[in-house]
Amino acid sequence: MKTILVVEDDPLLLKTLGQVLKKDGYQTVLCENGKKAVERFTDLKPDMLITDLMMPEMDGTQLVQHVRQQLQSAIPILILSASGEEASVLDAFKLGANDYVTKPFNPRELSLRVRRLLS
């Protein structure tokens, strides 16, 4: 069973993401900010990371940068953000994100993107 680390500061959306991914057969670990995600990452060794961009304590871009540079991890990273601005999208890809989905999102589309990134 693949493990997905999900990082989102909106508690309701975090719970929803967890339910969608569990229904698809993934084990999920839910964190409400990037700082907690970094703490869990090393022990967990997830197969994928899904993160919001705008969060307290450590935002999504800092988290992606940390995973790619400090942790030297090549796991698939999907950004899930309300910001669909071209600059935000391009910055996420430059830092090492593999995909970008804007909120609100379609759960079926998210499932397909996750499956594609993990295959």
Side-chain angles (χ1 to χ4, degrees):
M1 180 181 283
K2 302 265 185 182
T3 301
I4 301 175
L5 180 60
V6 183
V7 191
E8 169 61 57
D9 63 329
D10 178 329
L12 183 60
L13 183 54
L14 184 61
K15 184 178 177 184
T16 301
L17 285 164
Q19 290 170 343
V20 167
L21 295 166
K22 280 182 185 174
K23 189 182 80 155
D24 289 341
Y26 302 109
Q27 178 180 349
T28 59
V29 175
L30 309 177
C31 294
E32 60 271 5
N33 64 55
K35 188 176 179 187
K36 287 191 176 165
V38 166
E39 292 169 5
R40 299 292 314 271
F41 193 94
T42 307
D43 295 333
L44 184 63
K45 295 188 179 24
D47 297 293
M48 181 175 187
L49 171 65
I50 297 176
T51 184
D52 186 11
L53 283 182
M54 292 178 249
M55 298 180 293
E57 296 189 50
M58 176 186 245
D59 69 27
T61 55
Q62 293 168 316
L63 176 58
V64 171
Q65 197 167 21
H66 185 82
V67 167
R68 292 293 189 235
Q69 293 175 5
Q70 274 75 34
L71 302 177
Q72 298 288 302
S73 176
I75 67 164
I77 298 176
L78 185 142
I79 302 291
L80 188 62
S81 180
S83 175
E85 293 177 19
E86 185 178 358
S88 295
V89 175
L90 292 175
D91 285 346
F93 283 122
K94 284 177 189 171
L95 289 172
N98 299 91
D99 203 351
Y100 194 106
V101 175
T102 55
K103 298 178 200 172
F105 63 93
N106 178 316
R108 286 188 309 239
E109 179 186 356
L110 181 70
S111 294
L112 286 170
R113 289 175 182 255
V114 167
R115 193 171 324 131
R116 180 182 57 83
L117 287 170
L118 286 172
S119 62

